[in-house]
Amino acid sequence: MKKFNLSIAALSAMLMALSFASQAQTAGATVFGVSESVLADVAKGWSVKKTILNAEVRNDAAKPESLGKVEDLIIAPDGTVSYLIVNASKFLGIADHRISIPVSQFRHVGNILVLPGATKEELRKVPVFIYAKN
């Protein structure tokens, strides 16, 4: 009889847990956010706003030149970060020159993004990036 009571108690506990779960997430309902334990991991993550946006872009010359600042990043349809949009106008001495550069061409060194081998003259030749009109 003791074994039977334990099984009933275990089954009761499972049914209660399932009822809580069904109340927390019902069909057609969306659960937003994360739990506090997950939130702690999120806080340790990498922030695009703090590390990429407005980051200075330099070349890797013996005396590194400032080439621009990152203004935006482009997410490809498959969800990957594909390009950084760099505003190089201030450093090229021209009015407006936002360019797109593949993420794979950058190296991240401290708070600086390095574009190996790039020069101001080469960046002048890169076509201006224009956002698509939706």
Side-chain angles (χ1 to χ4, degrees), residues 22-123:
S22 67
Q23 289 173 2
Q25 294 182 344
T26 57
T30 303
V31 177
F32 296 100
V34 296
S35 67
E36 286 189 34
S37 60
V38 173
L39 188 59
D41 288 337
V42 171
K44 295 175 191 171
W46 198 52
S47 167
V48 170
K49 182 179 178 181
K50 290 182 179 181
T51 57
I52 299 294
L53 294 179
N54 293 315
E56 183 177 11
V57 176
R58 292 181 165 257
N59 62 16
D60 61 350
K63 288 181 92 175
E65 293 180 289
S66 188
L67 301 173
K69 290 199 179 224
V70 176
E71 286 192 349
D72 201 357
L73 52 89
I74 303 298
I75 308 289
D78 67 0
T80 59
V81 177
S82 54
Y83 294 88
L84 294 183
I85 305 304
V86 176
N87 187 348
S89 60
K90 176 180 174 185
F91 303 97
L92 297 177
I94 52 182
D96 193 26
H97 198 74
R98 285 177 184 83
I99 56 177
S100 60
I101 302 172
V103 170
S104 61
Q105 294 182 5
F106 290 92
R107 284 192 347 237
H108 195 244
V109 181
N111 288 337
I112 299 171
L113 288 172
V114 176
L115 195 53
T119 65
K120 291 179 182 180
E121 293 74 32
E122 288 174 347
L123 295 185

